Structures are given as structure tokens and as C-alpha cells.
Amino acid sequence: MGLLVLLGVFMLAMLTGIPIAFALGIAAFAAALMEGLPELIVFQRMVSGMSGFTLLAIPFFVFAGELMMHGGIALRLVRFAETLVGQVRGGLGVVNVLSSMLFGGISGSAVADTSALGSVMIPMMREKGYPDDYSVNVTVTSSIAGIMIPPSHNMILYALAAGGGISIPALFLAGIVPGILMCVILALAAYVIAVREGYPSSKFPGWRLVLISAASALPGFMTAVVIIGGVLSGIFTVTESAAIGAIWALLVTLIIYRSLSWEAFRTSLTQSIRTTSLVMILVGAATAFAYFLALYQVPEKIMELMLSISDSKIMILLMVNIALLILGMFMDMAALILICTPIFLPVVREYGMDPVQFGMVLMMNLGLGLTTPPVGGCLFVGCAVAKVRIESVLKTIWPFYMAILVALLLTTYVPAISLTLPNLFL
């Protein structure tokens, strides 16, 4: 009965339009009252969830990403990608994917990727004669690279939700190959569609211009190198590395590029504070909610349900993927990481999946949810930037969904894709 109250109150709050963080907290309070527990326990769980030292890395990562987004790095990355691969058929589609891969390693956010690169790429592709739906499709789906390729604050949330026993540097390393793999398959899909539809290509500008554009983009791209290098070398903790990365991003945009205006700095700071506040409130509420999920033995019950359907590892992992894909269509990514990790991680571990590998499967599943209706943040941002209707985009986006699903299945059933780099360097 208590579980029904917990889930029922949560769903009712969501349906009435209450923000998800508050819906989680209200549901936790309702469960506490149902069980006769003191309300103080909900506050204790919320505070304990928000007091982890590693969480201090999140505001620094977010601030670094905002600085790079508003400081001109996106445009430089696009120019570099265009000089490198713009000459192939439908080259701007491939450029879009490559730019997302490069920018994802800096922003760590799919929505930031869509907003920053979409503002540059979509008008550029429209000017070159590409249809809006194709431009939005490539921009939106490739933005998932911001979640997979480190540094990603979502991986910190996953490590927290898993109980703190998973190495964040291992998660950062594990995201590189799946992220690149997904981008390669997306670029292939973009190229095939461009060839079939006869989209234009540009002339190769020469290696001299490629080197010039690479040199221009390098200082900004070094933000990711500084962060990841500091963590892997042991010089910095994750939190210290995030702070150093934010300082580096500020110096690059302010001194080297000289493109960070006072207005852009204020916008970056404001957005960082807003995003961090939302994440921290969500972490606290989701921690309290997850406490009651564990109290009601939800992971064990889900495992029993899955075993009643099949005991095959292939089928169990497929069912987990399907469940995550469906949930990702209806809920915010950060909330799902905090809720689904304690539910599904014990299930997949029972079948021999490494927690680091599951983190990559979780990220790609929920990242795909950001590109699907009805709650796809990246999809809405991409359509808003292009000023097109979502219905027109959804008619032609399915080849890109298929590309991501191929990458997802490979990441799920081939552990080496996620685990080779962590095993090699750690």
C-alpha cells in the first residue's frame, strides 16, 4: 500500500504540473506519513543527498560550459569542423555531428550543445540549401554527445546515485568510445541521407586553412583536456579539476579569444546558478524518494518480474533498455538517473554487467529521451531555434533514432566498448 501511495502521489503531482523535484519531495512526505515515520526523516535524506563533496564539481562544470557556450568557442569549433569535412556530400550535416562531438567534450550538456551549435549550424545549413527538418534532426540527435563525452555532470549524478562506489574518472573514460561510436554512426546516417537527397557540398579549403582553424579552436578545446588530464593524472580531484577547468575557460574566452562581454559573463553566471540550484534541489528530493523505493524493495520486485518473463541475460538487458527508453520520453534526465540507478543497477549487476558499463547504457538511453516527445528538451530547443513545428521534424528523424539505437545495442552487449579505456588507464 505504501508503494502505491508513493507512486500515486508522484504521478498525480506530475499530472497537475508540479515541477518534478517538488513532486518527488511531496511523494516522499506522503510515504513517510503512510508509514508513520517522522517527517524529519525526509529532510535528513534530502540534506544527506545534497551534502556530498563530489557534487561541488557540478557548478564548476556547468559554469565552464556556459562560459564556452557564450564565449565564442562554438563558432570556432564549427569553423574547424567545416574546413576538415565540409567538402563531402552533405558536408554540413557531418560538420554538425563533428562539432557536437568536440563541443560535447566541453559543455557536458546536451541542451547546451543544441542551443549553442544549433544557433550557429541551423542558419548556416539553411543558407546552403539544406531543409530545416534535416538540420534540426542532425543537431538534436548529435547533441547527446554532450552527455557521453567527458566531462559530464550527469556521470557525477550517476556515481552519487550508485552509492558513491563508482570511480568518476572511470566513468569519464568509459564515455569516450561510446560517444565517438554514436557520433560516427550518426555522421554516416547524415551522409547517406545527404547523398540520397542530393544535398550540396563545399570545396576543400586546403590544409593551411584547416591548420589555422584548428589552432583557433585548440585553446577552447583544451578545457576538456585540462579537466580530464587533471583527474586521470591524479593531480586534481574531480572537484578541483572542475574548478581549474572553469578558470581556464574564463581565461581563454576573456584573454585569448577576447570574445566574452560583460553581458555574456553575467548570462553565464546566471544560467550556472539557475542550473545548479535546480540540480541540487532535484538531488535532494530524489534521494528521499529513492530511500522509500529501497524501503519497499522495488529493485527486488522488478527483478522478480523480469525473471518471471525470462531469465536470459540478453532479454533482461533488452527489457531494461526498453524501460529506460520509455521513462526517458516522459521524465527529466537528472531525475531519472537518481531514481533508476538504484532500481536497475542491482538487476544488471546480477547478470554480470559492470556498473561503469551500465552508466554508459543509462546515459545513452536517457539522452535519446531528450530528443523524443513529449518531454524532449533538446528536440524543443532545436525546433525553437529553427522556428519549425515538431511534427514536421518527427516525420524524418527516424533514421537518426535508428543510428543511436544501433550504438546503444553495441554499448549494451559489447562491454569492451565502454570498459577498454578505464581498464587500460586505471
Side-chain angles (χ1 to χ4, degrees):
M1 185 63 183
L3 179 59
L4 290 177
V5 170
L6 179 72
L7 298 179
V9 171
F10 173 65
M11 293 302 298
L12 182 62
M14 287 280 290
L15 291 173
T16 54
I18 295 176
I20 189 168
F22 294 102
L24 290 167
I26 292 170
F29 272 111
L33 293 173
M34 180 67 190
E35 298 299 329
L37 298 173
E39 294 86 347
L40 185 62
I41 196 170
V42 178
F43 288 108
Q44 288 175 336
R45 292 293 168 177
M46 292 177 69
V47 171
S48 67
M50 292 186 287
S51 59
F53 175 75
T54 307
L55 286 174
L56 287 174
I58 291 179
F60 293 118
F61 279 140
V62 173
F63 186 46
E66 290 289 340
L67 285 172
M68 302 310 283
M69 183 169 69
H70 296 287
I73 184 60
L75 181 60
R76 287 170 173 82
L77 288 174
V78 168
R79 286 173 179 168
F80 168 59
E82 185 180 13
T83 59
L84 194 63
V85 297
Q87 72 275 11
V88 303
R89 173 66 65 181
L92 284 184
V94 181
V95 166
N96 201 325
V97 177
L98 181 58
S99 300
S100 291
M101 189 170 71
L102 296 174
F103 189 70
I106 298 170
S107 71
S109 168
V111 176
D113 191 339
T114 305
S115 177
L117 293 180
S119 300
V120 176
M121 288 300 311
I122 292 175
M124 184 184 298
M125 295 176 74
R126 179 183 291 152
E127 184 180 338
K128 296 291 184 180
Y130 291 81
D132 285 341
D133 60 337
Y134 176 81
S135 304
V136 173
N137 290 340
V138 179
T139 302
V140 166
T141 52
S142 64
S143 68
I144 303 176
I147 299 167
M148 301 298 300
I149 298 176
S152 169
H153 63 267
N154 290 297
M155 293 182 184
I156 298 175
L157 292 180
Y158 170 68
L160 172 74
I166 301 177
S167 165
I168 294 176
L171 291 172
F172 281 178
L173 282 174
I176 295 174
V177 176
I180 293 175
L181 173 66
M182 183 189 68
C183 287
V184 168
I185 299 174
L186 281 171
L188 182 62
Y191 171 75
V192 170
I193 294 172
V195 170
R196 187 185 66 191
E197 300 295 333
Y199 295 153
S201 60
S202 59
K203 184 180 178 181
F204 181 60
W207 287 107
R208 180 176 176 275
L209 193 56
V210 171
L211 292 175
I212 292 174
S213 61
S216 176
L218 183 61
F221 186 70
M222 282 296 294
T223 306
V225 177
V226 168
I227 294 172
I228 302 302
V231 172
L232 296 181
S233 65
I235 298 175
F236 309 127
T237 65
V238 173
T239 303
E240 292 167 347
S241 187
I244 295 296
I247 293 172
W248 175 267
L250 181 60
L251 293 176
V252 166
T253 54
L254 195 61
I255 298 175
I256 299 178
Y257 290 160
R258 297 183 181 181
S259 55
L260 185 68
S261 64
W262 170 250
E263 185 62 31
F265 175 78
R266 190 171 64 177
T267 300
S268 300
L269 194 60
T270 303
Q271 286 296 111
S272 300
I273 293 170
R274 181 181 290 112
T275 301
T276 302
S277 301
L278 291 173
V279 169
M280 296 304 287
I281 293 172
L282 192 56
V283 167
T287 302
F289 188 84
Y291 167 77
F292 287 99
L293 290 178
L295 182 68
Y296 296 131
Q297 299 181 320
V298 172
E300 291 83 354
K301 292 176 181 177
I302 289 180
M303 185 179 294
E304 290 174 4
L305 175 62
M306 289 183 172
L307 286 174
S308 68
I309 299 173
S310 173
D311 60 356
S312 165
K313 178 180 178 179
I314 294 176
M315 287 302 300
I316 293 294
L317 295 181
L318 183 61
M319 284 189 283
V320 169
N321 274 313
I322 292 172
L324 290 173
L325 284 171
I326 294 173
L327 289 170
M329 295 172 65
F330 294 96
M331 287 182 62
D332 179 76
M333 181 175 184
L336 282 175
I337 291 172
L338 295 164
I339 295 171
C340 292
T341 299
I343 293 176
F344 291 111
L345 182 57
V347 176
V348 298
R349 292 185 78 164
E350 187 72 19
Y351 284 86
M353 177 178 276
D354 189 282
V356 173
Q357 181 190 0
F358 177 66
M360 301 308 105
V361 173
L362 180 67
M363 296 297 155
M364 201 174 293
N365 267 300
L366 302 186
L368 182 57
L370 292 174
T371 70
T372 59
V375 193
C378 292
L379 181 63
F380 287 117
V381 170
C383 290
V385 170
K387 296 180 173 61
V388 296
R389 294 176 61 86
I390 291 178
E391 294 84 348
S392 64
V393 170
L394 291 177
K395 292 177 182 178
T396 55
I397 200 173
W398 64 267
F400 298 96
Y401 284 159
M402 295 302 297
I404 297 173
L405 288 174
V406 169
L408 174 60
L409 290 175
L410 289 172
T411 304
T412 301
Y413 293 110
V414 184
I417 291 175
S418 302
L419 301 180
T420 297
L421 289 183
N423 291 340
L424 189 62
F425 288 99
L426 300 176

